[in-house]
Amino acid sequence: MKSEDKEVNINEVAIALEVDSDVIDKVRSGEVTHIVLQINEQNQNMILENIDGNLVLVIDNMPTTYHRCYLYNNGVFPYAIKSSLSFLVLNGGDDDCLARIISVDTEPGTRFNFQGADKPIVEDPNGDSCIWEIDFEVVPLPAKPRHYLLRWNPSISSFKEKDYKECVEDMVHGMFRMNWSIYEWEEARRGDFFYMLRTGDYKAGIVFTGQFISDPYPADDWAGSTKRRMYVDLVCMCPTDPKERPGISLDKLKKEIPEFDWSKGHSGALLPEDIVKKLEEIDDEEEDDFPLAN
């Protein structure tokens, strides 16, 4: 559960894309949540070949390659995206933005029959060739993110132990999604980070970490009262095995950081920077490390 603002080896987990500067602003504001990359002659080497010792896209058998396109493959995208591709570096000239990939989708763009290099493309819905598009859903990593402590007591929460097990079993791209109520919501923003603290039983401790993928918004109370609560949408990563106790237990938190009250409090408490730093130090000591940034 290492903190997201620690250094990562970008060459191993990211590719860089040139974008207009206004795209970066829109990614940060949440107006743009998807970056679409079209595989063509200009970028195929970056996408398909070895970059600094790391294959970004890898397949068992390379399909037939045509000029500026790839074999349509009966509508099936012929490449598997390597799981280590976790980030996009969006470069807008004087500004750049590191964005986490939270989902990937592929779809055929223009479909046509290949007529030879430098021949015009004539669209044909039944053609043998296609220019593919990769759709990356992203959330930005802020330069100075806030960190929140969310609390979960399975015995009283609407999110039960069985729900947690199902989420872990059904993870996509190493993540699962949900929403959660947040008490100190006024400063929370899309891109901020959280630690989920399980309470109320012998498995108490930090069970997963993640990132807010929305700004706070109002909705009905999960407990069924008439009052309204504020929620955030979450992407959740690095979960503890539901059958196991977490490496950073509640007892360890109390012992190592006694100045913070881990036993009581609302779900969605903004953590002071000194507490976050100590949490990172505890995490560095753990053998079973679940890095938030990788």
Side-chain angles (χ1 to χ4, degrees):
M1 286 171 283
K2 281 187 177 178
S3 176
E4 60 296 324
D5 50 9
K6 290 188 176 182
E7 291 186 4
V8 295
N9 188 340
I10 293 300
N11 289 330
E12 294 182 358
V13 296
I15 55 174
L17 303 176
E18 299 292 330
V19 297
D20 293 335
S21 58
D22 66 324
V23 172
I24 290 180
D25 293 335
K26 290 177 180 179
V27 167
R28 288 176 175 147
S29 69
E31 184 177 348
V32 169
T33 59
H34 292 256
I35 301 293
V36 177
L37 177 65
Q38 188 178 78
I39 297 180
N40 57 35
E41 187 179 40
Q42 282 70 42
N43 64 24
Q44 64 180 350
N45 290 339
M46 178 186 73
I47 303 302
L48 300 176
E49 293 186 357
N50 194 294
I51 303 175
D52 294 334
N54 298 277
L55 286 173
V56 177
L57 300 184
V58 62
I59 56 168
D60 293 330
N61 297 296
M62 182 69 73
T64 304
T65 301
Y66 297 128
H67 184 69
R68 296 181 62 84
C69 65
Y70 296 92
L71 184 68
Y72 185 69
N73 202 33
N74 296 319
V76 178
F77 186 68
Y79 308 99
I81 297 177
K82 190 176 180 182
S83 60
S84 63
L85 180 59
S86 301
F87 300 95
L88 298 180
V89 179
L90 306 178
N91 192 317
D94 295 333
D95 191 13
D96 56 52
C97 174
L98 181 62
R100 184 191 302 279
I101 298 168
I102 58 177
S103 73
V104 182
D105 192 21
T106 59
E107 62 180 41
T110 304
R111 185 172 174 180
F112 56 97
N113 285 308
F114 180 68
Q115 302 182 75
D118 299 324
K119 298 289 185 178
I121 291 177
V122 179
E123 293 190 33
D124 181 347
N126 298 311
D128 61 5
S129 300
C130 181
I131 296 177
W132 285 90
E133 292 180 347
I134 307 176
D135 185 332
F136 296 105
E137 184 182 3
V138 298
V139 60
L141 272 73
K144 295 182 178 179
R146 298 176 181 86
H147 298 73
Y148 287 82
L149 184 70
L150 306 183
R151 287 182 165 89
W152 170 44
N153 186 333
S155 65
I156 61 175
S157 173
S158 60
F159 183 67
K160 301 299 184 184
E161 178 85 3
K162 65 178 181 62
D163 300 315
Y164 179 45
K165 291 178 180 178
E166 290 174 0
C167 286
V168 173
E169 290 171 356
D170 298 335
M171 287 195 299
V172 178
H173 205 63
M175 307 175 190
F176 63 90
R177 303 190 193 199
M178 60 195 303
N179 68 359
W180 208 261
S181 61
I182 179 170
Y183 185 73
E184 297 180 29
W185 59 270
E186 291 84 357
E187 295 184 57
R189 294 293 180 269
R190 176 174 175 265
D192 286 338
F193 292 83
F194 72 87
Y195 295 91
M196 180 63 78
L197 176 65
R198 179 172 179 157
T199 63
D201 59 21
Y202 74 99
K203 294 180 183 177
I206 304 294
V207 287
F208 55 85
T209 58
Q211 194 169 5
F212 296 168
I213 55 174
S214 76
D215 289 340
Y217 57 88
D220 292 339
D221 181 20
W222 60 266
S225 75
T226 57
K227 68 179 180 180
R228 302 279 278 176
R229 289 185 185 267
M230 298 298 292
Y231 294 83
V232 284
D233 293 333
L234 312 174
V235 59
C236 309
M237 296 167 276
C238 314
T240 297
D241 187 323
K243 301 187 297 292
E244 305 293 335
R245 299 182 66 180
I248 303 180
S249 67
L250 179 57
D251 289 340
K252 184 163 189 172
L253 290 170
K254 290 178 179 180
K255 178 181 178 182
E256 299 291 338
I257 314 178
E259 64 271 30
F260 187 85
D261 191 349
W262 300 99
S263 298
K264 302 181 200 176
H266 298 282
S267 179
L270 177 60
L271 290 170
E273 290 185 9
D274 62 323
I275 299 299
V276 173
K277 184 177 180 180
K278 291 181 179 180
L279 270 172
E280 292 174 349
E281 291 172 353
I282 292 175
D283 186 44
D284 285 339
E285 297 170 357
E286 290 297 308
E287 292 183 2
D288 296 325
D289 187 36
F290 306 106
L292 180 59
N294 293 302

